[in-house]
Amino acid sequence: MTYKRKKTHRGDMHLKKNWQTKRRTKDLDEIDEDLKEENARKLLNQEVDFDKPGAAQYYCVHCARYFIDKTALHTHFNTKVHKRRMKALELEPYSIEDSERAAGKGSYITPQKRKIETMTREDLDINATLTYALKRTYRTLICDVCRRTSLPLNFERDYSSALYISGNKAYKAFAYLSPYLDFDERFANVENLQKNLALRGMDVNVVLLKEAWDFYTKVVADRYALENNNKKLTDCMKTLLKNTEHTAEQQQEVLKLRTQLKIVRQDLKTIKEAIWDLDEDVIEKVLKLPNELDPRTPVGEPVILKSVGNLPEILEKKRSHLDVGTSLDLLEYKNPMCYFLNNDAALFEFAVLAHAGRIFSENNMVKIVGTDFSRSFVVEASGLNHEDPMATFVIENHNEVERDSPNRMHLVGGASLASFLALHTKQLINPKNFPLKYFATGRQYTPSPRDSHICGLFTVCQASVAHSFIVVKDAKSEEYKILFEELLEIVCRLYDDLCDHYRVVMRPASELQSCEEMRVSFEMWSPFMNRYIEIGHVSTYGDYFSKRLLIAYQTSTGREFPTMISGTVLSVPRLLACLLEQNLDKFVIPLKIAEFIP
Amino acid sequence: MPEPEYDIDFVCNPANRDIIFSNIKSRKGIGDIDKVLEYSGNPEKQELLLQELSKIPNCTHPAVIEYGDEPRLLKKCGRKPQFDFEPQEFAELATNLKAIRTHTLGPVTGQRSYILLGDLAELEEALVQYTLRRLMKHGFKLLSVPDIILTKIIERCGLIVDNNRTLVYNLDSHYDDNYSLSGTAEMSLASKLMNTIISHDALPMKLAAVSRCYRAEGSGSLDERGIYRQEITLVHQFTKVEMFVCSKPNQSEEMFQDLQNIQEGLFSSLGLHFQIMDMPSLDLGSSAYRKCDMEGWMPGRKLYGELSSCSNCTDYQSRRLNIKYRTKDGNAAHVHTLNGTACAIPRMLIALCETYQTKHHRITVPNELVPLMKGKTLIKKQPIADMRTYKYKQKLNVKEKA
C-alpha cells in the first residue's frame, strides 16, 4: 500500500498567489480585446479617479497597469516586463471558436502572429486617429505579403542585403549606393520571366512575387503623394506666416493647417516605417531574380561551337596529374587550400600569364592590376550570396568593417569580376570612351564548395588566372555581338598557342549562374577524369551589373546603363593539370610560352 | 605541424639569464625570461614553458647592439637625380597620367586601395620579370606559393599574432582550419620546407617567389589615416618578389652579405639612389638576428623611403618549423634561414616614377625595362575612360499605377 507523500504544500506559495483571485489582473485574451481601437481609446482616456495610481491617467493597455506619471509610464515601456508582454500578445488568443473547431466544428486554423506596437494616449489622440488606422491596415497588408512571398522563395529569415540597405538598418551599415530597380520592366512580361526561371531550374513563384512588387510600388506611390501633400501644406503655412499680423480668420486657417500638417507628417512617418519593413521582404527578394537569358543560350544540351584538333589517343595508362606532377617534381599538392608549383611549373605559370597579357594588349585591351578585397555589396551585386562563406572568402578581422554590419570585406583576388566591378562602381563614364576593354592577370580566390568532389588542381581555392572585362554601350547594338565574337577569337588565339586540342562550348541555361545571360566555355580534355574540363569562360551579362552598381553613361536625353562582357579566360592550375595528364613522361612548355620564361 | 625544438640548453641555463634579459629589453620587450626559468625546472608546467619559450626573441648580432636606438648607415649608392623643375609626388604624377586610381575606392574595396591602370600595370609585370631574370642568374629557383596559409605558420615564422593590434588578416572561422592571409612569401616558402631534411650539398638553397602580400597594419588610428591618405607605401595589398635562403649556420653571415649585394645590384641597375641601413635592435622583428634596409630616394617627397629589407633569422624559424640539413657526418642540424625583398612593387614604382619623371610630367621607362615593356620608352597619359562619381537616387516610376 502506498502512502501519499507528505508535505505536498511546501514551497507552493507562488502557485497559490497565481491561483488567488483577490488581485487578479487581466488575462491575455482580455487584453487583446482591450487593444481594439475603441476600447483602447476608452482605457487611455479614463476619468480622473483618485483611487487609482496617477489618477488613472497613465495606463498601459498591454500590461493592464496604472502608473503614477508620464515618466513612470515611459520608463515602463522600456522594461523587460513590458517587452515580454508585447511578445506574448503577438500570438492570437485562444477563442471559443478555436475550442469549437478543436471539438470538431470546422478544421484547425493556425493562430496568426501579429505585430504589436506600444500604444500611448498620444497615438490615439483624435488628430492621429487616421494614422493609427493607416498603420493597422499597412501592418496587416505587410503580414499578408510576407507570408505569401516568403513561402515560394524560401530564403533564410535573417538574410540581410548589403546592396540594398533599408532605412531602418542604415545605422548599422553605410549605404554607398542604392541599386536601380527595373522590376516594372522585368515583371511586364511575366511569361518570359517564368520561362527563364524554369530553364534555369529555379523554383520561384513569379506571380506572387509580382504581386508583392506591385504592392510595394503602390505603397511607394502613396508615400510620394503624402510627400507632395506635405510640401504643399508647408508652403501654404509659410506664405501665411510671412505676414506678422493675422486676422481672426487667418489665425483659424493657421490652426487648421497645423493640425493637417501634424496628421500628414504622422502618416508619412508611418508609411516610411512600413516601407522599411517591405524593403526587407520585397526588395531583397526581387534582387535575387536572375538575369535575363540571351536568345542564343541553348535550352537543353550544351552546344559545341568549335573544336580544334583531335582528341589525343586514349592512353593505356591513366595517371592523375597529381601523380604525374609529383613524380616530375613539378607539384606539391597538400589540399585545395595549399599547393606549391616547382621548377618548370612555376615558370610556366608566370610565362603563360605574360603571354596572355601580350595577346590581350596586342588587341588593344588595357591591363590593370585590381584590388583583392571587395565589400559585400559588390559581391552581392555580382550575383553571389555574400553571406555564404563558401561563395567567397570572408575576412574576419578587417578593421574598417563595423561590428554586425552586413557589409563585410571579402577576399576575391585582383583578377576577378568583383575587382573590375569595383573599378566602375557608382561611376558615370564618358560616352566617347566606349567600348572599354580591360584585362588583368593575377590571383583569384574561391572557396571550394562544401560537398563538391575534390580533384587536385581542378578544384584549388587559389589560382593564377587571366580575366577579361569589356563594357559596351548598348545591349541591342551589333557592337555588343561583334565585340563578344572578337573576344572569343582572341581567346581562341591564346588557346591555339597553348594546346593542340580544345573546344569551345556554349552552356545551356540550366548551367548558367544567375548573373549570366550567356556563357561560352573553353574546355580541355582530362584523360584521367575521362571528360572535358572548363579551363576558362567568357560570359555576357547585359546591364545586370550596371543597374545594380549604378554604372552609367550620359546620353543626349539622360542616362543609360551600359552592358558588360567578362570572364576568366584562363585558369592556370587547370590548364597545367590537363597538360600534365596528356603527357605523362615529361612536361613540355609550349614553344610560344617559352619565350616569356624569365 | 612539427613540435618546435627551442634552444633549451641556451635559454634555460640560468647563467645566460642576463644576456637574454638585456636582449629582450633592447628589442620590443616581448617575452619574459624569468618566467621561462621559473617553469623550466617544473615538469608540470611544460605547456606554459613552451608558450613562454615561443615568445623569446632571436639573439642579436653583436655589432648591432652597439648602435643603440639609431640605424647605422652602411653605404650610399647612386646619386640624387637633379631636376630643373619641381618634381611631383607619385600620387599626383600617376593620377594625372590616369595610370592609377585611388579616388572613391575606399567604400568599395577598403581604405588605401589602388588600381594600377595601363602602362603602370605593365611596368609592374616588367619589374617582376626583370627581377626574376636577375635572380635566376644568381641561382634562385622560382616557386609558386599560396597566399592563404595556416595561421600557425605565421606564428612560427616569428610574427606574433597579437589580439589587440591586427597585423594579419584572418579568414572567417568557417573554413576548416584557421587561415590567414600571408604578409610575405617568406612564410609560405618556409612552410614548404617544414619538416624536411636537406642534404648538405643542396645548401645554400635559394628560393624565390612572386606573391600577393596582405598587411593589416598601420591603419589603427584615425589620424594615421589622415596623414597617409595618399600614401601608397602603406597599402594593405601588393605584389612582391621575395628571396628566401637556407644555408649552413657558418655560411649565413656570408649569404646575408650576398643577398644585400643582389639587392644593391638590382636597384643600382635601375638607376635608383638609395642608402643601406643596418637596423638597430629596436627595429628587429622577433625572428631577426640582423636586418638591413635599403632606403630609396624619392625625389617627389624628398625623403628616403624603405624599398626593401633583408634579414638573417639564423635558426629561429628552422627550429620552429623543423627544417634541418644532413651534415657530412650524417647528423641532422638546423639550417639558418634568411630572407630579403627583391622587389616590392608599390615602393619600387614610387621610387622609379619619381626618379624618372620628365618636365612634362610623364615618366621615362628605365633602359633596362624597355625591352620588357614592348619597346615603350615613355609613359604618357593612359587611354582610360573618364569617369566621375554618379550620384543618383532612383524615384520609382509609379505614376500610372497611383
Side-chain angles (χ1 to χ4, degrees):
Chain A
M1 184 178 167
T2 50
Y3 290 90
K4 197 180 171 195
R5 193 171 69 88
K6 279 190 176 175
K7 293 184 178 173
T8 38
H9 295 289
R10 266 180 87 253
D12 61 354
M13 185 56 96
H14 67 288
L15 296 171
K16 280 188 179 157
K17 285 214 164 157
N18 262 356
W19 296 327
Q20 70 179 352
T21 49
K22 197 170 167 188
R23 289 177 291 273
R24 189 167 172 81
T25 48
K26 281 187 177 172
D27 269 329
L28 286 180
D29 57 335
E30 290 175 280
I31 291 173
D32 197 73
E33 193 65 24
D34 287 349
L35 286 177
K36 285 188 180 156
E37 212 189 315
E38 60 278 9
N39 299 339
R41 187 169 310 122
K42 264 183 215 157
L43 284 167
L44 288 172
N45 298 299
Q46 294 183 40
E47 301 254 313
V48 173
D49 177 355
F50 292 110
D51 288 338
K52 297 259 162 65
Q57 296 305 296
Y58 309 99
Y59 183 70
C60 173
V61 196
H62 310 276
C63 307
R65 274 174 71 184
Y66 293 98
F67 290 88
I68 52 163
D69 56 17
K70 203 171 174 179
T71 343
L73 179 64
H74 282 264
T75 338
H76 159 75
F77 288 150
N78 289 332
T79 58
K80 193 164 217 161
V81 182
H82 180 72
K83 286 175 183 163
R84 210 184 285 139
R85 174 54 62 89
M86 300 293 281
K87 192 90 187 163
L89 283 170
E90 272 179 8
L91 202 68
E92 264 182 355
Y94 192 68
S95 63
I96 306 256
E97 287 74 33
D98 277 329
S99 70
E100 281 174 345
R101 278 196 288 270
K105 278 182 164 184
S107 52
Y108 177 70
I109 296 175
T110 342
Q112 292 287 319
K113 275 208 167 184
R114 299 142 324 154
K115 221 168 199 169
I116 304 286
E117 296 229 322
T118 302
M119 255 191 261
T120 57
R121 196 189 227 169
E122 291 78 39
D123 274 345
L124 280 187
D125 241 6
I126 307 144
N127 279 347
T129 318
L130 193 131
T131 318
Y132 184 68
L134 195 73
K135 210 178 241 183
R136 291 216 48 162
T137 39
Y138 277 127
R139 293 275 174 240
T140 43
L141 279 169
I142 288 167
C143 276
D144 211 27
V145 170
C146 300
R147 219 177 53 241
R148 280 196 285 167
T149 51
S150 64
L151 281 172
L153 282 162
N154 198 18
F155 291 128
E156 284 168 34
R157 283 188 68 91
D158 57 347
Y159 177 83
S160 60
S161 175
L163 183 61
Y164 191 94
I165 291 172
S166 76
N168 53 350
K169 283 206 185 128
Y171 71 95
K172 268 195 201 165
F174 163 63
Y176 183 59
L177 55 81
S178 50
Y180 178 85
L181 306 171
D182 64 339
F183 296 99
D184 277 339
E185 299 153 38
R186 294 300 301 276
F187 284 125
N189 194 343
V190 175
E191 261 172 49
N192 206 345
L193 190 59
Q194 248 161 354
K195 208 177 126 201
N196 176 352
L197 289 165
L199 285 177
R200 285 174 188 264
M202 293 171 88
D203 183 26
V204 179
N205 191 332
V206 183
V207 181
L208 285 186
L209 201 60
K210 182 180 184 311
E211 262 176 44
W213 169 256
D214 286 344
F215 177 69
Y216 178 79
T217 42
K218 220 192 279 165
V219 180
V220 173
D222 285 356
R223 181 189 163 172
Y224 289 155
L226 275 174
E227 271 172 3
N228 283 341
N229 211 348
N230 182 23
K231 200 164 166 274
K232 245 185 249 162
L233 289 173
T234 323
D235 288 346
C236 280
M237 190 81 157
K238 266 186 199 156
T239 39
L240 265 177
L241 287 179
K242 258 182 198 164
N243 307 332
T244 38
E245 286 172 27
H246 296 292
T247 59
E249 213 171 276
Q250 272 173 329
Q251 252 163 13
Q252 198 70 34
E253 184 80 353
V254 169
L255 272 180
K256 213 173 115 195
L257 273 176
R258 245 183 216 144
T259 329
Q260 276 179 341
L261 260 177
K262 206 171 162 190
I263 295 172
V264 167
R265 281 183 190 156
Q266 272 288 347
D267 286 357
L268 208 59
K269 203 178 146 204
T270 320
I271 207 164
K272 261 186 196 162
E273 279 164 20
I275 288 178
W276 289 344
D277 287 340
L278 278 177
D279 277 343
E280 276 165 44
D281 289 305
V282 181
I283 300 296
E284 283 167 16
K285 272 161 206 161
V286 289
L287 276 176
K288 286 204 163 184
L289 280 178
N291 199 346
E292 275 161 50
L293 281 180
D294 191 287
R296 284 170 286 176
T297 296
V299 174
E301 290 295 307
V303 174
I304 299 166
L305 296 180
K306 185 175 162 184
S307 181
V308 175
N310 294 319
L311 197 67
E313 305 155 36
I314 292 161
L315 302 163
E316 282 170 23
K317 268 195 299 179
K318 275 186 195 168
R319 283 166 71 199
S320 110
H321 59 268
L322 293 182
D323 197 11
V324 182
T326 318
S327 66
L328 293 175
D329 194 20
L330 295 170
L331 178 68
E332 188 182 330
Y333 176 90
K334 289 185 174 158
N335 55 51
M337 288 290 267
C338 179
Y339 68 96
F340 298 89
L341 300 183
N342 304 339
N343 301 324
D344 276 359
L347 295 174
F348 175 74
E349 181 185 43
F350 183 80
V352 80
L353 290 183
H355 178 66
R358 173 64 64 92
I359 289 190
F360 282 130
S361 19
E362 275 168 5
N363 287 283
N364 294 324
M365 292 175 79
V366 178
K367 183 178 163 99
I368 76 161
V369 177
T371 61
D372 299 83
F373 292 155
S374 174
R375 283 279 194 161
S376 295
F377 76 91
V378 182
V379 171
E380 193 186 344
S382 71
L384 296 169
N385 179 1
H386 67 104
E387 294 196 323
D388 182 6
M390 290 301 158
T392 49
F393 284 112
V394 184
I395 308 274
E396 181 191 59
N397 60 342
H398 199 284
N399 55 354
E400 285 160 38
V401 177
E402 307 82 7
R403 261 188 73 200
D404 299 331
S405 162
N407 200 4
R408 294 184 291 175
M409 198 62 95
H410 304 253
L411 178 75
V412 288
S416 65
L417 181 62
S419 166
F420 280 99
L421 289 176
L423 172 66
H424 294 93
T425 297
K426 208 179 171 186
Q427 297 289 318
L428 195 64
I429 306 166
N430 187 341
K432 284 179 201 155
N433 297 116
F434 278 93
L436 320 181
K437 298 201 254 179
Y438 298 116
F439 76 94
T441 56
R443 295 295 246 174
Q444 198 175 76
Y445 308 97
T446 31
S448 60
R450 227 163 279 135
D451 41 338
S452 77
H453 188 60
I454 289 171
C455 36
L457 289 181
F458 293 130
T459 51
V460 286
C461 302
Q462 321 185 40
S464 290
V465 301
H467 196 100
S468 61
F469 187 78
I470 293 179
V471 189
V472 193
K473 261 189 192 169
D474 190 3
K476 289 179 193 83
S477 65
E478 269 303 297
E479 196 190 14
Y480 184 41
K481 281 182 187 159
I482 293 171
L483 279 169
F484 183 73
E485 294 298 326
E486 244 179 51
L487 184 62
L488 285 189
E489 255 173 58
I490 296 171
V491 181
C492 281
R493 228 171 293 154
L494 173 63
Y495 276 87
D496 285 338
D497 295 341
L498 294 176
C499 55
D500 298 327
H501 174 58
Y502 67 93
R503 58 180 208 177
V504 187
V505 179
M506 195 174 264
R507 312 251 53 122
S510 56
E511 291 175 25
L512 296 190
Q513 287 174 0
S514 70
C515 53
E516 288 172 326
E517 279 186 342
M518 177 170 70
R519 179 190 184 104
V520 170
S521 52
F522 298 85
E523 295 183 330
M524 279 172 71
W525 178 252
S526 155
F528 182 72
M529 306 274 290
N530 205 18
R531 67 186 192 93
Y532 283 96
I533 302 280
E534 185 187 276
I535 310 292
H537 73 94
V538 176
S539 309
T540 61
Y541 296 99
D543 53 10
Y544 186 77
F545 297 135
S546 43
K547 277 181 177 161
R548 290 172 151 234
L549 288 171
L550 290 189
I551 303 166
Y553 65 93
Q554 201 137 22
T555 60
S556 51
T557 51
R559 274 129 201 221
E560 287 288 339
F561 294 101
T563 173
M564 288 164 190
I565 304 169
S566 177
T568 304
V569 296
L570 179 76
S571 165
V572 180
R574 290 178 176 211
L575 171 69
L576 183 68
C578 283
L579 290 178
L580 283 176
E581 285 183 13
Q582 286 172 8
N583 190 349
L584 302 180
D585 304 325
K586 67 173 188 196
F587 177 59
V588 190
I589 296 181
L591 212 65
K592 287 263 172 87
I593 309 299
E595 283 175 40
F596 289 90
I597 286 186
Chain B
M1 265 295 160
E3 276 301 312
E5 294 172 25
Y6 301 110
D7 194 356
I8 291 178
D9 294 344
F10 176 76
V11 180
C12 296
N13 186 351
N16 295 328
R17 188 251 168 208
D18 289 344
I19 307 172
I20 298 171
F21 183 76
S22 63
N23 182 34
I24 291 173
K25 215 178 140 195
S26 77
R27 297 172 79 129
K28 280 161 191 159
I30 300 169
D32 191 341
I33 183 65
D34 291 331
K35 273 192 187 160
V36 171
L37 294 176
E38 184 194 326
Y39 298 143
S40 70
N42 195 340
E44 282 165 26
K45 299 206 169 154
Q46 197 64 24
E47 241 171 68
L48 282 171
L49 173 67
L50 287 177
Q51 213 177 9
E52 282 306 318
L53 273 172
S54 75
K55 290 183 194 160
I56 302 291
N58 202 345
C59 302
T60 313
H61 192 281
V64 173
I65 296 173
E66 294 162 18
Y67 297 167
D69 290 349
E70 286 302 309
R72 172 77 51 98
L73 176 69
L74 294 182
K75 194 175 176 185
K76 279 204 179 211
C77 304
R79 261 189 220 157
K80 280 188 194 176
Q82 298 300 321
F83 296 98
D84 50 0
F85 56 92
E86 188 56 31
Q88 282 184 331
E89 274 194 38
F90 173 77
E92 196 187 353
L93 186 70
T95 313
N96 287 341
L97 287 174
K98 290 206 274 183
I100 193 169
R101 159 100 188 274
T102 48
H103 186 60
T104 65
L105 280 180
V108 188
T109 59
Q111 298 290 332
R112 264 186 257 148
S113 301
Y114 62 95
I115 295 177
L116 299 179
L117 304 161
D119 286 345
L120 220 50
E122 304 265 359
L123 193 61
E124 171 184 312
E125 199 184 312
L127 271 172
V128 172
Q129 180 114 5
Y130 177 72
T131 315
L132 285 181
R133 277 190 187 174
R134 284 190 75 103
L135 290 184
M136 312 270 281
K137 271 183 208 150
H138 283 105
F140 280 84
K141 242 173 67 179
L142 179 69
L143 285 183
S144 167
V145 297
D147 301 329
I148 305 174
I149 56 176
L150 291 171
T151 312
K152 278 185 213 146
I153 292 174
I154 297 183
E155 282 165 28
R156 294 288 174 90
C157 282
L159 200 84
I160 311 276
V161 182
D162 195 354
N163 288 333
N164 301 330
R165 265 180 73 216
T166 26
L167 292 169
V168 180
Y169 288 118
N170 299 357
L171 287 186
D172 200 273
S173 47
H174 252 89
Y175 313 102
D176 297 340
D177 276 303
N178 265 325
Y179 282 103
S180 294
L181 306 189
S182 88
T184 153
E186 164 204 339
M187 298 164 185
S188 325
L189 286 170
S191 80
K192 183 181 173 350
L193 295 177
M194 188 168 71
N195 289 331
T196 50
I197 297 180
I198 308 166
S199 87
H200 68 89
D201 45 2
L203 292 179
M205 186 185 249
K206 298 178 183 177
L207 302 174
V210 188
S211 75
R212 285 295 274 181
C213 305
Y214 302 94
R215 306 216 168 147
E217 73 220 326
S219 52
S221 65
L222 266 171
D223 17 318
E224 254 185 21
R225 268 191 219 170
I227 299 169
Y228 295 113
R229 201 169 21 191
Q230 292 295 318
E231 189 80 59
I232 191 184
T233 45
L234 272 171
V235 291
H236 295 308
Q237 32 188 306
F238 58 95
T239 307
K240 192 173 77 164
V241 186
E242 179 81 358
M243 305 181 280
F244 185 81
V245 176
C246 291
S247 78
K248 287 179 199 163
N250 54 1
Q251 286 174 336
S252 72
E253 298 258 344
E254 191 189 319
M255 278 315 301
F256 184 61
Q257 197 53 46
D258 276 2
L259 283 185
Q260 260 184 59
N261 292 344
I262 292 171
Q263 288 177 332
E264 196 186 319
L266 202 71
F267 300 146
S268 301
S269 68
L270 290 171
L272 294 176
H273 164 59
F274 59 96
Q275 56 189 20
I276 306 175
M277 313 290 280
D278 202 359
M279 300 316 273
S281 49
L282 192 69
D283 284 350
L284 298 186
S286 60
S287 65
Y289 173 67
R290 188 175 194 179
K291 182 172 116 170
C292 278
D293 275 11
M294 311 262 158
E295 296 189 338
W297 175 247
M298 308 192 170
R301 54 194 75 195
K302 296 192 180 49
L303 48 82
Y304 288 97
E306 189 193 320
L307 277 182
S308 75
S309 73
C310 158
S311 359
N312 183 357
C313 297
T314 61
D315 59 0
Y316 184 92
Q317 290 175 337
S318 57
R319 280 180 181 279
R320 283 161 173 74
L321 292 165
N322 190 22
I323 309 174
K324 289 182 179 171
Y325 75 104
R326 185 132 346 252
T327 52
K328 270 182 195 159
D329 42 3
N331 295 326
H334 288 110
V335 297
H336 277 195
T337 59
L338 302 101
N339 62 73
T341 323
C343 177
I345 292 297
R347 293 161 186 178
M348 203 64 175
L349 283 182
I350 295 178
L352 279 179
C353 292
E354 289 190 4
T355 307
Y356 282 93
Q357 58 183 303
T358 67
K359 199 171 183 176
H360 303 289
H361 306 305
R362 291 168 179 171
I363 302 159
T364 335
V365 178
N367 283 338
E368 300 276 341
L369 296 178
V370 171
L372 299 171
M373 292 279 291
K374 286 169 283 170
K376 193 171 276 180
T377 50
L378 190 67
I379 297 178
K380 296 181 204 158
K381 196 157 194 163
Q382 295 300 301
I384 304 292
D386 298 313
M387 288 190 276
R388 62 187 163 90
T389 307
Y390 180 26
K391 284 186 185 141
Y392 173 77
K393 186 111 181 126
Q394 184 184 9
K395 198 143 190 189
L396 280 178
N397 187 16
V398 287
K399 268 173 204 148
E400 68 265 49
K401 284 186 187 168

